[in-house]
Amino acid sequence: MDHDDAHVRPVSAAELFDGLGVEYEHAFVRLPAQLEAIEWLTARLGAGARVLDVGSGTGRPVADLLVRAGCEVTGIDVSGEMVALAGAQVPGAGFEQCDVRAFDAPEGHFDAVCAFFPLLMMSRAEAADALKRMAGWLAPGGFLVTATVPADVEDAEIVWMERTVKVSSFSAEEYLRLQREDCGLDVLHHAVSVFAPDDDRAAPEEHLFTYARRPA
């Protein structure tokens, strides 16, 4: 993500991803750590496992790979454009336009929740609360697989893919502490890597991937 001094009104997450559409998929679809995370997850899920994909985007690669693995997939995204694309590209899953902060599911309803980068455009307090809510949606023994851009920032204005956005995030240490202490999860794996999106408008990013489990 690039910093820029030019002041343009930051766009909302819905505006950002409505505008990007399939461009986002093309830039990020070959993200190796994400593909490894989905492979790790599907190896541990039985046929018919209920999985929630938070920030489901175009449906590719995450929902698509989960459906192919035999999972029952629900995808939510703030962008109506993304939900329409996902529904067309991955008809085997169900998608709805919804913010994770407003989504409601019964306690313990899902066998797994995937959350790849959906928390960056909300406040730290909202992101921490969203993590706790996602952990609560897990069945005992269920998995939370996430990715974020680790950074000690709150409401930082940056330019990303030629759009001005406002982002907040946590250091890697704090993000792991939130999952372990606030969410009560066992973090089974975490790793930081650098990814260069397949788009000249997006600079290389540091990514933190975590695999966690709700105690059985």
Side-chain angles (χ1 to χ4, degrees):
M1 294 189 174
D2 291 330
H3 292 263
D4 194 292
D5 293 329
H7 187 78
V8 180
R9 181 186 69 82
V11 296
S12 69
E15 290 169 327
L16 173 68
F17 290 103
D18 278 345
L20 285 173
V22 79
E23 294 174 53
Y24 180 82
E25 177 186 319
H26 293 160
F28 286 88
V29 74
R30 286 184 291 277
L31 176 47
Q34 185 178 55
L35 299 175
E36 288 167 16
I38 302 164
E39 188 175 343
W40 180 92
L41 179 62
T42 53
R44 286 157 180 79
L45 295 176
R50 291 180 295 195
V51 183
L52 176 66
D53 183 13
V54 178
S56 46
T58 67
R60 293 177 178 165
V62 180
D64 186 40
L65 290 172
L66 290 168
V67 167
R68 291 171 189 270
C71 299
E72 182 184 306
V73 181
T74 300
I76 61 171
D77 202 284
V78 295
S79 164
E81 177 67 21
M82 288 295 196
V83 168
L85 281 167
Q89 296 194 140
V90 191
F95 299 95
E96 61 179 281
Q97 184 177 358
C98 185
D99 190 307
V100 67
R101 292 167 287 191
F103 185 72
D104 195 27
E107 173 85 11
H109 182 73
F110 291 101
D111 300 297
V113 175
C114 293
F116 297 118
F117 310 104
L119 307 178
L120 294 165
M121 291 180 68
M122 57 183 74
S123 72
R124 281 177 169 177
E126 289 171 325
D129 183 63
L131 280 172
K132 285 190 278 190
R133 298 182 77 231
M134 287 188 279
W137 297 330
L138 292 173
F143 299 101
L144 176 64
V145 180
T146 81
T148 190
V149 177
D152 187 12
V153 294
E154 174 104 49
D155 285 339
E157 275 193 20
I158 64 167
V159 175
W160 184 73
M161 293 189 75
E162 297 181 339
R163 279 88 166 168
T164 299
V165 296
K166 192 175 283 190
V167 297
S168 299
S169 191
F170 304 98
S171 67
E173 294 75 19
E174 176 62 9
Y175 189 72
L176 294 170
R177 188 202 67 76
L178 284 167
Q179 292 193 43
R180 291 185 176 120
E181 297 180 18
D182 293 22
C183 300
L185 301 175
D186 296 325
V187 179
L188 308 176
H189 167 85
H190 61 92
V192 174
S193 55
V194 175
F195 176 70
D198 193 12
D199 191 308
D200 293 340
R201 299 168 299 168
E205 297 178 346
E206 190 173 75
H207 292 163
L208 168 63
F209 277 80
T210 67
Y211 311 168
R213 187 170 184 259
R214 182 173 183 173

